[in-house]
Amino acid sequence: MGKLLTNMGKNLIFFIPCFLLLASLLHCIHAVQYIVTNKVPNTPGGKLFDREIGVNFTLLTLETVNKFIWKILEQRTAADIKNVPVVNLYISDFQGYAYKNGDNINVSGPALDMFYYPRNKSKFFFSSLMYHEMTHVFQWHGNFTAPGGLTEGIADYVMVKSNIYEKEKYTKFGSGSRWDEGYGVTERFLEYCDSLRKGFTAELNKKMRYKYSDHYFVELLGKPVDQLWREYKAKYGKKQVSTADSFGTMFPGVKY
């Protein structure tokens, strides 16, 4: 604990230990401002957001998710972390579920109204989505050279690690036809790669800071990605995987 000294018997002066001062400085360096705007408050989806989720809950969730992403992707210093001063989240009117645009997250009001059943699970569904979408804001993607399916898989990977997702309905191991198919298919493959080398997914993300190459799999695991995929499929080949399990999105056919 820090030392507490008195000055002239009246003024109190706290001396903060170095490690606490460092933690405070890192917090300032990593500080991100979150802004939440419901642009459709008078629509069914906008009303559901205000009633079941709310701005205050969303702000707390964004901060919690942000810190979790840094932890899971092992981004511990300012040098590791993407510089994102502000994250804007909008509840808007568009077809689909959600998408990232720059450092902005857009969530469909109509989708909230359509998919959030039962209503009392709305915060759970929304939190699960935030783990995915916020990862898109803070992950590396090789200056957009990484396969889209890989970045989607890493975003789902963080969501799965959070333990806030529908486990019974989620993609089964062995699903899919390509390692970079995206979402749950790629997420399960990344978990398999993690089993071969602890922290693989975080290391792969770090390597993608400036560019992407399939050779990163060789560097980290000693095998080409296509060989790893074949071995992964062989490991789970005896399992019967339904077509419904293969794509692995939160809601069938809906991308985010």
Side-chain angles (χ1 to χ4, degrees), residues 45-168:
K47 291 177 181 179
L48 181 146
F49 174 80
D50 286 339
R51 183 178 65 251
E52 302 291 344
I53 301 166
V55 170
N56 290 337
F57 173 82
T58 302
L59 289 171
L60 291 173
T61 299
L62 292 177
E63 182 175 11
T64 299
V65 170
N66 193 167
K67 292 177 180 177
F68 184 81
I69 292 167
W70 288 336
K71 176 183 176 182
I72 292 298
L73 297 184
E74 298 179 7
Q75 297 173 324
R76 300 187 178 95
T77 68
D80 294 332
I81 294 172
K82 187 183 293 185
N83 181 26
V84 180
V86 181
V87 174
N88 275 287
L89 185 143
Y90 299 103
I91 309 299
S92 306
D93 187 2
F94 62 91
Q95 295 300 310
Y97 185 16
Y99 67 94
K100 181 193 81 80
N101 178 26
D103 296 334
N104 304 315
I105 297 172
N106 302 273
V107 179
S108 166
L112 299 184
D113 181 50
M114 182 181 300
F115 296 120
Y116 281 17
Y117 288 99
R119 296 306 200 198
N120 61 7
K121 288 188 66 176
S122 293
K123 286 183 177 178
F124 174 86
F125 295 138
F126 192 82
S127 296
S128 184
L129 176 65
M130 289 303 102
Y131 278 99
H132 181 100
E133 294 301 328
M134 282 284 282
T135 301
H136 281 322
V137 174
F138 290 96
Q139 70 186 157
W140 298 113
H141 45 61
N143 286 317
F144 301 101
T145 61
L150 176 56
T151 58
E152 293 294 349
I154 291 175
D156 256 27
Y157 173 88
V158 173
M159 179 187 74
V160 169
K161 290 296 182 182
S162 77
N163 210 34
I164 301 178
Y165 70 106
E166 292 200 279
K167 302 173 184 64
E168 298 78 10

Side-chain angles (χ1 to χ4, degrees), residues 176-191:
S177 57
R178 303 191 324 274
W179 73 269
D180 61 348
E181 195 166 329
Y183 299 100
V185 171
T186 301
E187 193 284 330
R188 291 308 196 192
F189 177 62
L190 291 172
E191 285 195 73

